Amino acid sequence: MMAGMNNPQPRNPLHGITLEAMLTELVAHFGWPGLAQRISLRCFSSDPSVASSLKFLRKTPWAREKVEGLYLFMRREHARNAR
């Protein structure tokens, strides 16, 4: 067994959240135009869909990192506003 395979990731806020779930939540919150404004990617501005965006994001690590960063920012804002 490889080290780290069964270790939980308590400090990783993205652990257990799929890219599809992140993208769906971001689109619900910002809408496609708002998402395209925050992260300038053609897959968000030109005939956007979850399926086509996921295909691009899975092949493009730097773009996926931007989506993950925006998702974490959105969650922090929700948490801050809930207080």
Side-chain angles (χ1 to χ4, degrees):
M1 189 156 63
M2 293 178 66
M5 293 243 336
N6 288 337
N7 291 350
Q9 298 181 20
R11 298 223 183 273
N12 181 354
L14 297 175
H15 181 68
I17 301 170
T18 65
L19 184 58
E20 184 174 6
M22 277 185 250
L23 186 58
T24 302
E25 217 174 307
L26 286 168
V27 171
H29 184 74
F30 295 113
W32 287 112
L35 197 52
Q37 186 177 18
R38 288 165 178 80
I39 303 174
S40 183
L41 295 174
R42 196 175 311 141
C43 67
F44 294 160
S45 60
S46 177
D47 194 24
S49 74
V50 171
S52 65
S53 297
L54 284 173
K55 188 174 181 181
F56 175 76
L57 292 170
R58 287 180 177 134
K59 294 181 193 174
T60 318
W62 63 264
R64 181 182 179 136
E65 287 176 17
K66 287 182 178 282
V67 168
E68 290 171 347
L70 182 60
Y71 178 77
L72 290 173
F73 172 79
M74 181 190 72
R75 294 227 355 222
R76 280 193 302 271
E77 288 296 304
H78 282 306
R80 191 174 295 134
N81 292 336
R83 288 187 208 150

